[in-house]
């Protein structure tokens, strides 16, 4: 029976034109964004590769230019040319070097950019090598000694920089959860109120238990939301792969996605069951806001805690304690996973607590629903609804 | 024979006693009319029968055992406040409701086709309910109460808002269902219709069942009365012992202590003038209803 209800709910949502169109648009947008961004990203990469033309007379400088460029993390391409006395900058060429390698002339179109800096250190190294050789020393030994002559840096105090990759990935995950929850919450609440205001609920309740009816609706809307999320996730994964973003984040994408999947389902059950029960307190769509606005605002709390508390204090005692509260866990756990700051036993405990609290919440929401669903007119108080249910 | 027994129902909302010891029974195959002013407790009683509401006290049994979920799914119910999914198609909706009551997909489909046919909405199967006229929505509503082949029918004002043709169709359906052995309870404000259709009626007032029984028994007057139509002398009186006369235009009403007096009264009338009609008078359900309600109002005052 619960499946019949879930199936109707699912079909009603999934086959509506509006949802088909919006899903299609989202998928197209994500894929298109990836396709559009990619050329820019590769062009940026090519932009790092600076082309410098070196006159044949200045050619001994070329190895030094390459070493200097790689030390400074600049992709430098060098081309040996016959530049002549008054060279011109061809299209795509950042600079031209002529004259004596120890005192070359650099032609550039702007003093900004990496070329003058790289050239300067290349020339210094060239001259240093020449001088060391002139004094009878071994240039290779000298450069080795120079390379190891760097201080060891230790940062004092506990002021740590927030890892932007982890923050971004964690935020992306809980934000998707938040958006899907808000969307599904409004779907289920409108569904409950639609049944109430069209009075069809009385026919249904004559043969279906209130908790079954509510459960079926949550299941149907939940499966629909999952389909929708999967519909987004596939193009999103395509985008991540296509743009090669995994390497850039440097986080454990696999465990983050796993936690996303688990907490999506758990968070969904926790919040949507409650929303369904609360929606039954009102009789008309217009009155829905009175119940939902406080609920929506309440949902912002775990979202903001996850965004502000976790990055600054990923494994502090407050964070750890809140992680075990069912309403916070769906947001806090994925965020802490993104920061790699949560022990496996903490995740396991949070999952168990959530699993235990879901039937309790369902029972409570079912009572509210049963007590309020036949009440017409104004808004009902929760306590009255529970007593009647 | 199986019967639906309602005994001692009590329901209180805050300080308001919505039902106060309501008891009656409906045998299989019987049409039971439930009448009463708005707010008298008809809807509350029906909701309790369906288990949609819980009674504070009292029981509802079918065939001797309390109504459980299995029995409940074999009741056909039409709530006072009509309700169907407005944007769902007529056919899909009926199949869905039939399946919620436990029918297989094929059976549900066949039942949907049959009832849309019988109730004259077969052409609208593919339309959303909200696109239908109110009268047709009402027919779909009845179809939703019947589509799972119920063993018991509980219909809250099935006739309200129907045109005369639809009233005819609806009455016929209720008769057929009763003839099939289904106990049918329905409430209505159309007392003439209830009188014509029902085997028995119950009258509720302020949460109490103030009269119930066969229509003929309830409407029979203590002393038999007859109506004479014809050309009788003004102020005519048969002059028989124990017989009283009332004149009203050219209608003459006679009252006597026993039905056996009819022949002598008629003979006396024929003697003095022309008699076009001589008919026994019963009070109508409407009169009975007014009597019962006003009696109690006086008692309350």
């Amino acid at each position: 029976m619960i499946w019949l209800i879930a199936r109707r709910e699912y079909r009603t949502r999934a086959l509506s034109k509006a949802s088909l169109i919006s899903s299609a648009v989202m998928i197209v947008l994500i894929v298109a964004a990836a396709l559009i961004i990619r050329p820019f990203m590769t062009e940026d990469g090519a932009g790092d590769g600076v082309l410098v033309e070196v006159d044949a007379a200045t050619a001994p400088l070329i190895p030094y230019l390459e070493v200097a460029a790689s030390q400074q993390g600049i992709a430098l391409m060098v081309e040996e040319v016959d530049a002549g006395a008054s060279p011109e900058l061809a299209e795509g060429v950042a600079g031209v070097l002529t004259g004596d390698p120890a005192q070359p002339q650099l032609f550039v179109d702007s003093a900004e950019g990496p070329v003058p800096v790289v050239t300067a250190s290349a020339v210094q190294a060239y001259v240093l090598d020449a001088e060391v050789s002139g004094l009878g020393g071994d240039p290779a030994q000298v450069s080795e000694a120079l390379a190891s002559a760097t201080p060891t840096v230790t940062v004092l105090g506990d002021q740590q920089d927030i890892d932007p990759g982890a923050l971004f990935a964690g935020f992306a995950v809980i934000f998707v959860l938040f958006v899907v929850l808000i969307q599904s919450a409004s779907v289920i609440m409108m569904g409950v109120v639609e049944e109430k205001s069209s009075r069809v609920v009385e026919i249904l309740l004559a043969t279906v238990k209130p908790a079954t009816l509510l459960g079926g609706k949550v299941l149907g809307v939940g499966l629909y939301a999952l389909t929708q999320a999967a519909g987004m996730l596939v193009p999103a994964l395509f985008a991540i792969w296509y743009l090669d973003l995994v390497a850039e984040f440097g986080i454990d994408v696999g465990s983050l996605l796993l936690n996303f999947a688990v907490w999506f389902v758990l968070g969904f059950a926790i919040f949507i069951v409650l929303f369904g029960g609360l929606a039954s307190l009102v009789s008309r769509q217009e009155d829905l806001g009175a119940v939902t606005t406080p609920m929506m605002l309440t949902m912002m709390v775990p979202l903001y805690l996850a965004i502000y508390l976790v990055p600054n204090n990923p494994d502090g005692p407050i964070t750890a304690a809140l992680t075990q509260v069912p309403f916070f866990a769906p947001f806090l756990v994925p965020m802490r996973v993104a920061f790699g700051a949560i022990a496996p036993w903490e995740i396991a405990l949070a999952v168990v607590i959530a699993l235990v609290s879901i039937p309790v919440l369902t029972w409570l929401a079912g009572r509210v629903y049963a007590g309020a669903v036949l009440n017409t007119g104004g808004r009902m108080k929760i306590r009255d609804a529970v007593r009647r249910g | 024979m199986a019967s639906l027994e309602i005994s001692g129902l009590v329901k209180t909302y805050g300080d308001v006693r919505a039902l106060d010891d309501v008891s009656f029974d409906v045998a299989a195959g019987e049409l039971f009319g439930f009448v009463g002013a708005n707010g008298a407790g008809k809807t509350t009683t029906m909701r309790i029968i369906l288990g949609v509401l819980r009674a504070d006290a009292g029981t509802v049994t079918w065939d001797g055992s309390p109504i459980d979920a299995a029995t409940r799914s074999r009741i056909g119910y039409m709530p006072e406040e009509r309700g169907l999914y407005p944007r769902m198609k007529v056919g899909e909706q009926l199949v869905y409701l039939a399946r919620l009551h436990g029918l297989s997909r094929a059976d549900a489909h066949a039942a949907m086709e049959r009832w849309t046919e019988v109730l004259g909405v077969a052409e609208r199967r593919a339309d959303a309910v909200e696109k239908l006229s109110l009268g047709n929505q009402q027919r779909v509503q009845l179809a939703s109460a019947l589509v799972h082949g119920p063993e018991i029918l509980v219909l809250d004002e099935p006739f309200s808002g129907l045109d005369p043709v639809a009233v005819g169709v609806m009455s016929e359906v209720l008769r057929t269902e009763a003839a099939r052995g289904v106990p049918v309870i329905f409430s209505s404000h159309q007392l003439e219709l209830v009188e014509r259709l029902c085997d028995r009626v119950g009258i509720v007032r302020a949460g109490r069942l103030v009269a119930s029984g066969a229509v003929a028994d309830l409407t029979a007057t203590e002393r038999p009365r007859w109506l004479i139509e014809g050309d009788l002398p003004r102020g005519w009186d048969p002059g028989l012992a124990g017989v009283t006369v009332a004149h009203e235009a050219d209608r003459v009403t006679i009252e006597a202590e026993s039905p056996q007096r009819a022949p002598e009264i008629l003979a006396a009338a024929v003697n003095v003038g022309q008699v076009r009609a001589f008919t026994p008078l019963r009070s109508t359900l409407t009169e009975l209803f007014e009597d019962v309600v006003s009696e109690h109002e006086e008692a309350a005052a």
Side-chain angles (χ1 to χ4, degrees):
Chain A
M1 186 127 71
I2 197 166
W3 285 106
L4 268 175
I5 297 161
R7 192 169 156 271
R8 194 202 85 87
E9 209 62 44
Y10 185 89
R11 287 172 55 101
T12 313
R13 308 295 159 217
L15 298 182
S16 82
K17 265 189 213 139
S19 85
L20 286 176
I21 292 173
S22 72
S23 302
V25 167
M26 279 304 285
I27 292 170
V28 169
L29 277 181
I30 294 175
V31 173
L35 293 177
I36 292 169
I37 290 172
R38 165 87 180 246
F40 288 107
M41 291 183 64
T42 41
E43 199 173 83
D44 272 8
D48 286 347
V50 182
L51 180 62
V52 174
E53 289 180 347
V54 180
D55 189 57
T58 331
L61 205 53
I62 291 176
Y64 295 94
L65 279 170
E66 283 165 350
V67 169
S70 80
Q71 272 171 357
Q72 295 180 26
I74 293 159
L76 187 78
M77 286 174 292
V78 184
E79 219 172 74
E80 198 179 318
V81 290
D82 197 0
S86 56
E88 279 177 14
L89 283 176
E91 180 71 31
V93 178
V96 180
L97 270 171
T98 58
D100 178 6
Q103 279 175 313
Q105 276 222 305
L106 177 62
F107 298 90
V108 286
D109 56 2
S110 134
E112 306 283 309
V115 179
V117 183
V118 170
T119 308
S121 49
V123 171
Q124 281 168 12
Y126 173 78
V127 172
L128 184 65
D129 270 13
E131 292 296 319
V132 169
S133 304
L135 292 171
D138 179 1
Q141 214 176 357
V142 174
S143 36
E144 205 175 294
L146 274 178
S148 62
T150 55
T152 307
V153 179
T154 306
V155 178
L156 294 176
D158 53 16
Q159 199 60 43
Q160 282 173 329
D161 276 344
I162 294 163
D163 177 358
L167 179 62
F168 180 79
F171 179 71
V173 163
I174 60 171
F175 192 70
V176 168
L177 176 64
F178 181 75
V179 168
V180 171
L181 276 180
I182 292 275
Q183 213 177 19
S184 302
S186 75
V187 166
I188 198 142
M189 288 189 298
M190 297 213 306
V192 169
V193 175
E194 184 200 28
E195 275 175 4
K196 237 190 124 171
S197 64
S198 73
R199 307 301 303 158
V200 71
V201 70
E202 197 168 339
I203 298 188
L204 301 177
L205 285 185
T207 183
V208 183
K209 283 197 198 75
T212 312
L213 188 56
L214 183 60
K217 292 185 84 70
V218 171
L219 201 61
V221 173
L223 288 176
Y224 170 60
L226 268 183
T227 323
Q228 225 182 5
M232 308 280 131
L233 203 61
V234 170
L237 286 176
F238 162 78
I240 289 174
W241 164 81
Y242 186 70
L243 299 177
D244 203 17
L245 291 178
V246 178
E248 304 215 348
F249 288 154
I251 51 161
D252 189 349
V253 175
S255 79
L256 186 62
L257 281 181
L258 180 70
N259 269 282
F260 173 60
V262 169
W263 288 104
F264 183 87
V265 173
L266 293 177
F268 200 89
I270 290 171
F271 283 101
I272 299 302
V273 160
L274 269 189
F275 278 125
L278 286 175
S280 67
L281 293 173
V282 298
S283 311
R284 286 171 307 205
Q285 303 281 3
E286 306 92 276
D287 299 336
L288 206 48
V291 173
T292 56
T293 312
M295 204 55 195
M296 297 281 183
L297 290 177
T298 318
M299 249 171 74
M300 308 289 271
V301 174
L303 178 72
Y304 279 103
L305 274 179
I307 295 173
Y308 294 113
L309 182 66
V310 174
N312 292 316
N313 197 359
D315 45 10
I318 298 175
T319 318
L322 287 178
T323 302
Q324 302 307 334
V325 179
F327 293 105
F328 295 109
F331 292 95
L332 290 182
V333 174
M335 199 64 170
R336 291 183 63 191
V337 168
F339 277 87
I342 186 165
W345 69 263
E346 280 187 284
I347 301 181
L349 182 62
V351 169
V352 169
I353 290 178
L355 283 178
V356 171
S357 64
I358 286 169
V360 176
L361 284 172
T362 309
W363 174 82
L364 192 69
R367 286 250 355 215
V368 171
Y369 187 81
V373 82
L374 282 181
N375 177 65
T376 49
R379 192 164 80 76
M380 250 187 127
K381 289 208 178 70
I382 294 180
R383 209 183 313 139
D384 295 344
V386 171
R387 208 177 299 137
R388 268 206 213 176
Chain B
M1 195 161 41
S3 76
L4 183 68
E5 284 188 37
I6 287 96
S7 59
L9 291 190
V10 175
K11 178 78 188 174
T12 314
Y13 291 116
D15 299 333
V16 184
R17 185 145 261 213
L19 289 185
D20 190 0
D21 194 21
V22 170
S23 305
F24 61 93
D25 62 299
V26 187
E30 194 176 38
L31 270 161
F32 185 86
F34 209 28
V35 298
N38 292 327
K42 305 186 297 286
T43 298
T44 307
T45 307
M46 292 188 168
R47 283 182 167 175
I48 289 172
I49 295 174
L50 262 294
V52 170
L53 264 184
R54 278 190 308 196
D56 297 337
T59 55
V60 180
T61 59
W62 167 240
D63 205 3
S65 41
I67 295 202
D68 55 12
T71 314
R72 198 168 294 135
S73 70
R74 299 198 302 272
I75 303 181
Y77 179 43
M78 186 161 168
E80 178 196 25
E81 298 188 61
R82 309 294 182 238
L84 295 166
Y85 288 105
R87 278 185 281 275
M88 203 171 172
K89 287 173 186 157
V90 171
E92 269 176 35
Q93 178 138 234
L94 290 174
V95 170
Y96 173 64
L97 291 172
R99 296 202 65 200
L100 276 188
H101 284 87
L103 264 63
S104 72
R105 185 190 294 261
D107 289 350
H109 204 82
M112 179 277 286
E113 292 194 331
R114 175 167 160 245
W115 282 111
T116 46
E117 207 70 61
V118 170
L119 293 168
V121 283
E123 267 115 67
R124 313 303 301 271
R125 277 174 203 155
D127 289 329
V129 171
E130 63 185 357
K131 295 215 176 97
L132 271 59
S133 68
L134 277 180
N136 277 340
Q137 289 190 15
Q138 184 94 320
R139 290 169 190 237
V140 176
Q141 192 83 48
L142 180 65
S144 75
L146 293 166
V147 74
H148 53 286
E151 285 178 14
I152 303 167
L153 273 178
V154 178
L155 310 171
D156 206 346
E157 305 211 13
F159 293 100
S160 78
L162 290 186
D163 64 41
V165 180
V167 167
V169 173
M170 182 79 79
S171 310
E172 201 41 52
V173 168
L174 297 192
R175 279 205 191 93
T176 317
E177 288 298 301
R180 202 162 66 79
V182 173
V184 181
I185 302 181
F186 74 93
S187 67
S188 179
H189 291 305
Q190 286 152 278
L191 298 175
E192 283 164 32
L193 192 67
V194 174
E195 194 170 355
R196 216 165 51 230
L197 210 53
C198 290
D199 305 305
R200 286 165 62 234
V201 295
I203 302 177
V204 278
R205 198 191 153 275
R208 290 180 148 272
L209 192 70
V210 290
S212 79
V215 178
D217 293 345
L218 288 176
T219 53
T221 44
E222 250 171 76
R223 289 160 63 87
R225 291 190 299 162
W226 294 269
L227 174 72
I228 304 175
E229 283 171 83
D231 302 318
L232 294 173
R234 195 169 289 275
W236 171 75
D237 191 322
L240 299 168
V243 175
T244 53
V245 183
H247 286 266
E248 188 192 319
D250 62 346
R251 290 157 50 102
V252 179
T253 319
I254 312 272
E255 198 177 307
E257 82 285 2
S258 134
Q260 270 87 48
R261 305 294 298 270
E264 46 178 316
I265 296 168
L266 179 59
V270 172
N271 260 341
V272 295
Q274 219 183 1
V275 175
R276 280 196 302 276
F278 180 83
T279 40
L281 265 186
R282 286 176 186 284
S283 58
T284 60
L285 186 58
T286 312
E287 284 164 340
L288 172 69
F289 180 72
E290 283 164 359
D291 280 355
V292 167
V293 170
S294 62
E295 235 172 65
H296 281 262
E297 263 159 19
E298 278 160 26

